[in-house]
Amino acid sequence: QVQVVESGGGSVQSGGSLRLSCVVSGFTYTSYYMAWFRQAPGKQREGVASIDSEGTTKYADSVKGRFAISQDNAKKTLYLQMNNLKPDDTAVYYCAASPSYIVPILTLIESDFNYWGQGTQVTVSS
């Protein structure tokens, strides 16, 4: 059974940094995609950053240059380093994973990922 557990959320002031972590257990695929999504109050969930098993990354335009996605394969852990945070980054952040046979390319599309965590809150104050 696949379990996805996020951690590292919290409250910071504008311009600050946070690092989110996501441990994925029971996920035995060697070819996969993993991603971070977020959902702000009253808005739809949106893709933030994704990475494949070879290290290729993809970012939403709104976070390019500020956020960095990375993974530790040995620890089966996904990270999201968030720098220069803005109040618009306030949201619940979700970790997602999927075997790569689901779709042929790395995306930031919610329906392309089939394993999800419960989310961690990130609040950025001005």
Side-chain angles (χ1 to χ4, degrees):
Q1 183 178 357
V2 176
Q3 289 189 319
V4 180
V5 180
E6 307 96 335
S7 62
S11 297
V12 295
Q13 290 190 327
S14 183
S17 298
L18 280 175
R19 187 194 197 200
L20 305 183
S21 299
C22 170
V23 177
V24 183
S25 59
F27 189 76
T28 59
Y29 301 97
T30 57
S31 182
Y32 58 81
Y33 305 130
M34 297 184 74
W36 290 97
F37 288 76
R38 67 185 181 186
Q39 187 167 21
K43 295 186 178 181
Q44 289 189 330
R45 189 150 56 181
E46 62 176 358
V48 175
S50 57
I51 189 168
D52 68 14
S53 48
E54 297 182 358
T56 301
T57 58
K58 186 176 183 66
Y59 292 93
D61 288 343
S62 59
V63 305
K64 281 181 181 177
R66 301 189 299 121
F67 290 12
I69 189 171
S70 62
Q71 60 189 343
D72 184 328
N73 291 332
K75 296 182 180 179
K76 297 185 179 179
T77 302
L78 182 71
Y79 302 100
L80 185 68
Q81 178 66 44
M82 304 185 293
N83 299 324
N84 190 21
L85 282 160
K86 304 175 181 180
D88 284 349
D89 295 319
T90 296
V92 177
Y93 283 71
Y94 298 90
C95 177
S98 180
S100 61
Y101 66 76
I102 298 295
V103 291
I105 59 172
L106 184 64
T107 74
L108 289 172
I109 300 172
E110 184 176 355
S111 59
D112 289 345
F113 293 85
N114 54 0
Y115 298 107
W116 291 82
Q118 294 300 306
T120 185
Q121 176 71 46
V122 172
T123 303
V124 185
S125 58
S126 56

